Amino acid sequence: IFMPEDGYADISIYDASGRLIDELKDLDGEYKYQASTINVDLSNKNLPTGSYYINLIGCGQKVTKMFTIVK
């Protein structure tokens, strides 16, 4: 992720149909102005193989990135 300034960010995971999978409240919080790597452990979610989206909202921006789970 890249934050254009210091600020709070909400991070959520959605499936390909747009259904909310998890709000990832443990990753919500203050982030510094910079590029940061976020590690998301989804092993306890038991998600099937497929495409998903991680959504970050913060500092006046909304960023969505696709990722794929392959089992």
Side-chain angles (χ1 to χ4, degrees), residues 29-40:
E30 293 290 325
Y31 287 90
K32 298 287 184 190
Y33 163 72
Q34 64 184 3
S36 299
T37 299
I38 296 175
N39 294 313
V40 179

Side-chain angles (χ1 to χ4, degrees), residues 1-2 4 9 11-14 17 21 25 28 30 37 41-42 49 51 54-55 60 66-67 69 71:
I1 64 168
F2 178 79
I11 302 171
S12 303
I13 301 282
Y14 294 85
S17 69
I21 300 297
K25 293 291 186 187
D28 290 352
E30 293 290 325
T37 299
D41 180 7
L42 297 174
T49 295
S51 296
I54 189 162
N55 189 41
M66 187 181 90
F67 66 96
I69 294 178
K71 293 186 177 184

Side-chain angles (χ1 to χ4, degrees), residues 8-15 18-29 31 38-42 44-45 47 52-57 67:
Y8 188 86
D10 289 317
I11 302 171
S12 303
I13 301 282
Y14 294 85
D15 67 11
R19 183 176 57 100
L20 178 65
I21 300 297
D22 195 340
E23 292 184 331
L24 301 178
K25 293 291 186 187
D26 56 325
L27 295 178
D28 290 352
Y31 287 90
I38 296 175
N39 294 313
V40 179
D41 180 7
L42 297 174
N44 63 343
K45 303 298 180 207
L47 298 173
Y52 296 88
Y53 297 89
I54 189 162
N55 189 41
L56 176 137
I57 299 174
F67 66 96

